[in-house]
Amino acid sequence: NWFDAITHAFATIATGGFANYDASIGAFDSPLIEAIAVFFMLMGGTNFALHYLAWGRGSFTVYGQDPEFRTYLWIVGGCSAIVCAGLLSQHVYGPFFEHLRHAVFHVVSMFTSTGFTTTGFSHWPGFLPPFIMMITFIGACAGSTAGGLKTIRSMIVARLARRELMRVIHPRGQFMVKIGSHVIDEPILAAIAGFVTVYFLSLVVLSLAVTATGEDPITAFSIVASCMNNV
């Protein structure tokens, strides 16, 4: 009905995750509704400046030209494939489509910090529940409604780590950190490194604080991760 549609439309494009049913999106049990939600969660997790440029130029090429957006889609695709393979190996659902359906939905929902669920992933076997929780730290694109570190920061940190390893191997080498054709200045690298350090230090301290209240470590970690990453 219109009330359900408008409620979930607001919560999807804002990656807010609010649902007026306890079962979240799973209450509809509709692959079509889930596919629509996946598309708009991805759009909500995209840098809104790209949407503005695409609208202004009347062209979708700006999305493909942005290195962060390309990495964003690669991460979503790769994580979806990993989760789908994990589900298939344990025969959690029936046909292949069901495994792919729930894998893609939960990866996109958690990666964009929306928090919608269908069947839920806490009961999934093996490494899958913690893996889903860990991808919330990466976060979608900067300039979006998503939480987490953001993809661009994760890209820069990965390149910075690679540079420092190369410096160990080649002490006299000169290595630049680049995103696309743009060289990242040293003050920006230092600021991002400091931010990420404080981010994960806060995760450890707060997780220990919640554990001290009597909760088990897994519950404490998931609570803190959800709060810090706005899931």
Side-chain angles (χ1 to χ4, degrees), residues 50 53-54 57 59-71 73 155 179-182:
L50 289 181
L53 287 174
R57 297 178 184 178
S59 172
F60 294 112
T61 57
V62 294
Y63 294 104
Q65 294 168 354
D66 183 66
E68 183 187 25
F69 182 75
R70 294 198 303 269
T71 304
L73 293 186
M155 292 169 64
I179 298 295
S181 60
H182 181 68

Side-chain angles (χ1 to χ4, degrees), residues 125-212:
F127 74 98
L128 293 175
F131 179 77
I132 292 286
M133 287 301 302
M134 291 304 294
I135 65 175
T136 66
F137 286 94
I138 302 175
C141 300
S144 72
T145 59
L149 288 170
K150 301 295 193 297
T151 300
I152 189 66
R153 284 199 189 98
S154 302
M155 292 169 64
I156 292 173
V157 167
R159 284 164 170 76
L160 180 60
R162 181 181 181 276
R163 186 186 75 170
E164 297 310 309
L165 289 174
M166 293 300 294
R167 280 180 169 177
V168 172
I169 300 170
H170 305 285
R172 296 183 180 180
Q174 298 294 320
F175 305 98
M176 296 180 294
V177 176
K178 299 173 67 177
I179 298 295
S181 60
H182 181 68
V183 177
I184 308 299
D185 296 331
E186 290 299 324
I188 296 176
L189 293 177
I192 291 175
F195 175 83
V196 172
T197 300
V198 172
Y199 201 88
F200 283 103
L201 182 62
S202 301
L203 171 69
V204 172
V205 171
L206 293 172
S207 295
L208 290 173
V210 175
T211 304

Side-chain angles (χ1 to χ4, degrees), residues 12 33-43 101 104-105 108:
T12 300
I33 290 176
E34 292 164 22
I36 294 170
V38 164
F39 176 77
F40 284 103
M41 284 189 290
L42 286 172
M43 290 298 98
R101 166 190 171 187
V104 171
F105 185 88
V108 172

